[in-house]
Amino acid sequence: MAESSIEWTELTWNPTTGCSKISQGCKFCYAEVMSRRLHAMGIKKYKDNFKLRIHPKELETPFKWNKPKVVFVNSMSDLFHKDVPLEFIKRVFKVMNQCPQHTFQVLTKRADLVERYNRHLTWTENIWMGVSVEDERVIDRIDHLRYTDAHIKFLSLEPLIGGLPSLDLTNIDWVIVGGESGHGARPIKKEWVLDIKRKCDEADVPFFFKQWGKAAFNPNPNDPTIAADHKHHAKGGCRLNGRVYRNMPKR
Ligand code: SF4
């Protein structure tokens, strides 16, 4: 468990680590970079670097938090990676089922497997299920999510590297949008973000704009949230037409 700097969560919990790349959104995978760093530091959990590994001992961790937490599940992996046995995923879900005081945000790019495993999993209200979509090429992930029984279904449109003209928000409860950061980052465009926001407004879906990614991608060079000491600081700033959007679904 670790406190997270991610704007839409409090803690990260990684019952699996490691992954493999599946689409363009993985190009500059943060988890891969961090795994290599932690491996080099000699951290035992990352002794196999970025290879997919399951950590059954981690299943005890959520029972030790004495206050209700909002938890991003598997910031360093993908719970629905094909090499994670369904039996282990069921054990992770059982822990989440037994901890209704915590809110668990599970995010995957393997949306087809979520739909396939759906009937084997118990979807208590504290489990928010999300899919990552970076551009139109992988927009079918949203359909897989739509057909699951998760009570809260969310989209992480980050790193947004293309417009999403066919985005359909039917049965979707929350949308997060963000630009890519770091060396070589691919630019996000304001018109893509505004198009998504308009669809959120029309469908009454909470809209969370996380970041532009780089100051160079921010259409407003004077956005005060670019400054590291601003209370809403995010990478590259996070104002959109002068406003910060950090809306969340109701819990
Ligand atoms: S699915 Fe996520 S964790 Fe896995 S390689 Fe892609 S970005 Fe990294």
Side-chain angles (χ1 to χ4, degrees):
M1 178 220 40
E3 288 199 11
S4 175
S5 60
I6 301 169
E7 288 79 356
W8 46 262
T9 199
E10 290 175 3
L11 292 183
T12 54
W13 172 48
N14 285 285
T16 71
T17 53
C19 196
S20 52
K21 297 186 179 188
I22 187 171
S23 67
Q24 276 302 310
C26 301
K27 187 172 179 187
F28 300 116
C29 174
Y30 163 87
E32 182 182 27
V33 175
M34 276 307 290
S35 295
R36 296 202 190 293
R37 203 170 292 166
L38 294 166
H39 171 76
M41 287 163 63
I43 308 289
K44 208 168 143 211
K45 198 171 173 185
Y46 296 91
K47 69 181 169 53
D48 295 316
N49 222 320
F50 198 47
K51 288 201 182 77
L52 196 290
R53 291 290 178 258
I54 63 172
H55 302 280
K57 254 207 108 33
E58 278 290 345
L59 298 177
E60 298 162 17
T61 305
F63 297 101
K64 297 176 186 160
W65 303 326
N66 47 21
K67 284 192 184 147
K69 299 290 182 192
V70 181
V71 187
F72 177 18
V73 181
N74 276 344
S75 60
M76 298 295 286
S77 182
D78 188 333
L79 185 62
F80 289 90
H81 190 283
K82 64 176 174 36
D83 294 341
V84 182
L86 173 58
E87 283 315 306
F88 188 72
I89 297 173
K90 283 162 84 172
R91 289 177 68 191
V92 172
F93 268 66
K94 194 168 174 201
V95 170
M96 299 192 287
N97 300 150
Q98 290 173 336
C99 293
Q101 71 276 31
H102 304 312
T103 300
F104 293 94
Q105 301 160 321
V106 186
L107 185 59
T108 187
K109 286 189 172 69
R110 276 84 181 179
D112 52 334
L113 277 185
V114 184
E115 188 184 357
R116 195 185 312 161
Y117 293 165
N118 178 56
R119 65 191 174 88
H120 300 287
L121 304 171
T122 302
W123 294 97
T124 41
E125 286 184 11
N126 62 329
I127 301 172
W128 297 9
M129 187 69 229
V131 295
S132 299
V133 173
E134 64 268 21
D135 62 22
E136 279 276 332
R137 286 173 287 188
V138 291
I139 203 155
D140 61 314
R141 289 176 187 160
I142 302 174
D143 282 329
H144 291 297
L145 175 67
R146 230 188 296 279
Y147 299 128
T148 69
D149 293 316
H151 291 268
I152 299 281
K153 302 178 181 68
F154 72 97
L155 307 181
S156 172
L157 310 179
E158 185 190 1
L160 192 69
I161 56 171
L164 295 174
S166 66
L167 178 67
D168 170 6
L169 294 177
T170 308
N171 214 10
I172 297 298
D173 303 290
W174 187 32
V175 172
I176 303 161
V177 180
E180 194 161 56
S181 59
H183 181 68
R186 295 157 287 183
I188 186 171
K189 297 228 165 77
K190 184 177 175 183
E191 65 256 33
W192 303 339
V193 183
L194 287 177
D195 185 46
I196 294 163
K197 182 181 176 300
R198 179 183 54 78
K199 286 181 175 166
C200 286
D201 290 346
E202 284 170 8
D204 204 16
V205 172
F207 171 79
F208 192 114
F209 184 56
K210 188 178 154 204
Q211 61 183 39
W212 289 102
K214 281 187 157 183
F217 304 156
N218 190 327
N220 176 11
N222 300 317
D223 179 346
T225 65
I226 295 172
D229 58 354
H230 193 281
K231 68 173 179 169
H232 289 136
H233 169 69
K235 287 176 185 160
C238 63
R239 282 200 182 170
L240 177 65
N241 283 347
R243 275 195 57 186
V244 173
Y245 293 92
R246 291 192 173 171
N247 300 313
M248 305 274 292
K250 288 199 179 64
R251 285 192 275 146

